[in-house]
């Protein structure tokens, strides 16, 4: 095998125009000239790094294999002489110095008592662009808050005089054992929060025996996350369906060949919602003279990080595609993003393995109802029309969005869910403390499960029954104006002001 050609930085620097655009990523030289107009984030972001090392910009928002997957082999020119390449200078601003100082003053993990605490620390210590992407939701963020508030309208009816000397909160999800009735749901761009990205989740999930759903838009590659898993560790794949069905087929069949145990097809994102917090951060980052509704390359970069990397998603996905998916894989198929009982019934009738009752973490359609509320109507109508009882092994119901406590999970289980997906809290955990943060978050949930099963009079998860909750107030909606302090008014969070004092001194 011939050795790859070695380029000097001076040679690469000559190719810094639209007519001839070379970049360096992870020590390799690529000719991306013909790819400029195909780049989902637009050509300008690539041209900014033309003739230079673009690794720092590339790393947080692309899997390592993204560039080799999208470029033909002949465009992968060789390797760079690292001593000669021009790298983009990173200027540490005063605000960044203040942030790093706050990072150094984080409380020890032993002081983190619940999942809200991770969110408080993450907000104070994450880069602003990363916080904006992770925390943002659609429009006025009413649904984002409703996802959490819905759990506050369900009340327990605990049993007494039950022997709860031993309690067991393990369960079975899609035929696989899990240490608790949760899974780590798909959340994109993990490296925005931590250099190891989603690997933090994979490793922590292995230690605590919970299932990880790998996102299509992960910062790490699918193979990287599968390779990091322990023998027997269960992983699922969340799929955004590509307009090019051959690409979709290749991804699905590769995932199945690598041992992925479930395919969760996202059905609530024919177009990504307007996440204004993320959009505003994008405006701030751009040169004001270049902020346009759409650039000369036709890409609307003002829409934020999510829009920039998701233009491949097919808005034409429909029910007629379901038989095709069933023909290309034997993995259990679950629709992720179902928001009404009629669609859950269709999914059941088509032979799917289940649905995730979800509004995409409040990031899509504002004023969509919480998954918890939809769960109640799905259980009711599928019971009446198909005689189903839940939880149900043949057709499993999942819920995500707004979960911060084991009590939230137990309420969903009582109402018929097999398991509950948790996303943002684990992002905040690893953004604040890395893999150890995720492990601590999972241990906190286990401790909460143990306590609450005892207090509910339920020795096992199977003992959590419908009559143990009062959900009569669940459909009562109260829209809360932007700027409300929903989390703070319901929970006395960590005193973030103490971290803020550091900034004031600088």
């Amino acid at each position: 095998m011939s050795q790859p050609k070695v380029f000097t930085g001076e040679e690469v620097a000559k190719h810094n125009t639209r007519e001839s655009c070379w970049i360096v990523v992870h020590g390799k030289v690529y000719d991306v000239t013909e790819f400029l107009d195909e780049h989902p984030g637009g050509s300008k972001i690539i041209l900014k790094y033309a003739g230079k090392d673009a690794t720092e910009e590339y790393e947080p928002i692309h899997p390592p294999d993204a560039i080799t997957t999208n470029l033909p082999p002949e465009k992968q020119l060789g390797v760079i002489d690292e001593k000669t390449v021009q790298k983009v200078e990173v200027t540490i601003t005063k605000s960044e110095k203040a942030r790093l100082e706050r990072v150094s003053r984080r409380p020890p993990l032993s002081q983190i008592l619940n999942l809200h605490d991770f969110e408080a620390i993450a907000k104070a210590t994450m880069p602003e662009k990363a916080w904006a992407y992770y925390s943002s939701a659609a429009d006025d963020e009413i649904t984002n808050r409703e996802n959490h508030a819905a759990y506050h309208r369900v009340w327990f009816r605990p049993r007494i005089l039950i022997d709860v000397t031993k309690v067991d909160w393990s369960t079975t999800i899609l035929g696989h054992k899990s240490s608790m009735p949760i899974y780590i749901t798909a959340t994109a761009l993990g490296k925005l929060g931590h250099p190891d990205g989603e690997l933090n989740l994979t490793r922590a999930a292995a230690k605590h025996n919970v299932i990880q759903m790998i996102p299509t838009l992960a910062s790490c590659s699918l193979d990287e996350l599968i390779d990091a898993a322990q023998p027997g560790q269960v992983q699922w794949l969340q799929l955004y369906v590509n307009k090019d069905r051959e690409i979709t087929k290749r991804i699905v069949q590769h995932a199945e060949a690598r041992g992925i145990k479930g395919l969760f097809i996202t059905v609530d994102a024919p177009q990504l919602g307007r996440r204004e917090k993320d959009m505003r951060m994008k405006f701030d980052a751009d040169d004001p003279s270049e902020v346009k509704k759409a650039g000369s390359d036709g890409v609307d970069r003002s829409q934020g990080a999510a829009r920039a990397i998701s233009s491949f998603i097919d808005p034409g996905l429909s029910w007629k595609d379901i038989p095709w998916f069933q023909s290309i894989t034997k993995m259990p198929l679950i629709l992720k993003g179902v928001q009404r009982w009629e669609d859950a019934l269709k999914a059941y009738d088509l032979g799917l393995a289940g649905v995730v009752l979800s509004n995409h973490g409040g990031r899509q359609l504002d004023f969509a109802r919480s998954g918890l509320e939809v769960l109640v109507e799905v259980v009711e109508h599928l019971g009446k029309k198909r005689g189903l009882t839940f939880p149900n092994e043949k057709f499993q119901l999942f819920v995500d969005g707004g979960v911060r406590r084991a009590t939230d999970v137990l309420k969903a289980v009582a109402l018929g869910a097999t398991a509950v997906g948790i996303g943002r809290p684990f992002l905040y955990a690893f953004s604040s403390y890395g893999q150890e943060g995720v492990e601590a978050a999972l241990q906190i949930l286990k401790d909460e499960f143990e306590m609450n099963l005892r207090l509910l009079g339920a020795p096992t998860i199977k003992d959590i029954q419908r009559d143990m909750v009062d959900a009569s107030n669940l459909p009562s909606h109260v829209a809360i104006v932007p700027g409300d302090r929903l989390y703070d008014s319901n929970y006395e969070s960590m005193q973030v002001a103490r971290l803020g004092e550091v900034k004031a001194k600088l």
Side-chain angles (χ1 to χ4, degrees), residues 411-430:
K411 290 171 184 179
V413 170
L415 292 171
T418 294
V420 170
I422 301 178
R424 283 188 180 101
F426 294 131
L427 288 178
Y428 298 143
F430 74 61

Side-chain angles (χ1 to χ4, degrees), residues 259-336:
I260 294 294
K261 301 301 183 185
L263 183 66
F264 286 67
I265 304 169
T266 296
V267 294
D268 60 3
Q271 174 178 330
L272 292 196
R274 283 171 56 90
R275 298 141 192 196
E276 294 176 6
K277 196 186 301 180
D278 186 33
M279 291 165 65
R280 286 194 176 95
M281 187 57 61
K282 187 63 177 176
F283 273 123
D284 291 344
D286 283 334
D287 180 340
S289 65
E290 293 186 3
V291 175
K292 304 172 184 176
K293 182 60 185 169
S296 59
D297 48 20
V299 174
D300 184 359
R301 285 171 299 282
S302 71
Q303 299 293 295
R307 286 277 178 92
I309 59 172
S310 59
S311 61
F312 68 89
I313 298 173
D314 187 3
L317 181 67
S318 70
W319 287 104
K320 71 178 186 297
D321 292 301
I322 299 302
W324 178 77
F325 277 104
Q326 292 169 323
S327 74
I328 66 168
T329 181
K330 290 183 170 58
M331 285 188 288
L333 300 180
I334 298 91
L335 300 186
K336 181 179 181 294

Side-chain angles (χ1 to χ4, degrees), residues 148-359:
H148 185 62
Y151 287 95
H152 299 174
R153 301 196 298 273
V154 178
W155 296 81
F156 287 122
R157 301 178 67 247
R159 299 185 298 174
I160 61 169
L161 296 177
I162 305 295
D163 184 354
V164 286
T165 306
K166 293 182 179 180
V167 290
D168 180 5
W169 51 94
S170 65
T171 191
T172 301
I173 310 173
L174 292 176
H176 301 283
K177 295 289 185 182
S178 174
S179 66
M180 44 187 157
I182 69 160
Y183 58 91
I184 299 174
T185 196
T187 48
L189 305 187
K191 287 185 181 179
L192 286 177
H194 189 277
D196 287 344
E198 296 82 6
L199 285 168
N200 291 297
L201 303 175
T202 304
R203 295 161 180 160
K207 289 195 174 184
H208 284 267
N209 188 28
V210 296
I211 298 170
Q212 176 193 21
M213 185 191 298
I214 297 174
T216 295
L217 297 176
S219 294
C220 302
S221 70
L222 176 64
D223 284 319
E224 192 176 3
L225 295 171
I226 294 172
D227 289 343
Q230 295 299 307
Q233 183 176 346
V234 177
Q235 293 172 307
W236 298 329
L237 175 65
Q238 172 265 338
L239 181 72
Y240 283 124
V241 179
N242 198 296
K243 295 169 188 172
D244 186 335
R245 287 295 189 272
E246 282 304 310
I247 293 176
T248 295
K249 181 179 179 180
R250 185 171 70 243
I251 292 169
V252 169
Q253 294 185 339
H254 178 69
E256 183 172 18
R258 289 298 321 265
I260 294 294
K261 301 301 183 185
L263 183 66
F264 286 67
I265 304 169
T266 296
V267 294
D268 60 3
Q271 174 178 330
L272 292 196
R274 283 171 56 90
R275 298 141 192 196
E276 294 176 6
K277 196 186 301 180
D278 186 33
M279 291 165 65
R280 286 194 176 95
M281 187 57 61
K282 187 63 177 176
F283 273 123
D284 291 344
D286 283 334
D287 180 340
S289 65
E290 293 186 3
V291 175
K292 304 172 184 176
K293 182 60 185 169
S296 59
D297 48 20
V299 174
D300 184 359
R301 285 171 299 282
S302 71
Q303 299 293 295
R307 286 277 178 92
I309 59 172
S310 59
S311 61
F312 68 89
I313 298 173
D314 187 3
L317 181 67
S318 70
W319 287 104
K320 71 178 186 297
D321 292 301
I322 299 302
W324 178 77
F325 277 104
Q326 292 169 323
S327 74
I328 66 168
T329 181
K330 290 183 170 58
M331 285 188 288
L333 300 180
I334 298 91
L335 300 186
K336 181 179 181 294
V338 171
Q339 298 172 71
R340 47 189 276 155
W341 70 263
E342 294 91 341
D343 289 336
L345 181 63
K346 265 188 192 176
Y348 172 75
D349 287 344
L350 285 171
L352 299 180
V355 292
V356 183
L357 307 173
S358 168
N359 53 46

Side-chain angles (χ1 to χ4, degrees), residues 85-97:
V85 68
Q86 180 183 356
K87 298 192 177 183
V88 177
E89 272 189 48
V90 179
T91 304
I92 301 180
T93 63
K94 288 184 178 179
S95 62
E96 176 63 7
K97 288 179 181 177

Side-chain angles (χ1 to χ4, degrees), residues 445-495:
L445 287 169
K446 286 184 174 180
D447 294 342
E448 290 184 359
F449 276 120
E450 180 176 12
M451 176 187 70
N452 287 301
L453 284 179
R454 286 201 172 102
L455 296 178
L456 281 167
T460 71
I461 289 297
K462 289 183 179 179
D463 294 310
I464 299 293
Q465 300 294 322
R466 178 65 178 82
D467 65 2
M468 298 179 78
V469 293
D470 174 5
S472 58
N473 289 326
L474 188 51
S476 302
H477 301 136
V478 179
I480 305 165
V481 296
D484 74 274
R485 298 178 65 80
L486 177 67
Y487 293 126
D488 290 343
S489 64
N490 283 292
Y491 172 74
E492 187 177 351
S493 62
M494 295 194 74
Q495 299 301 307

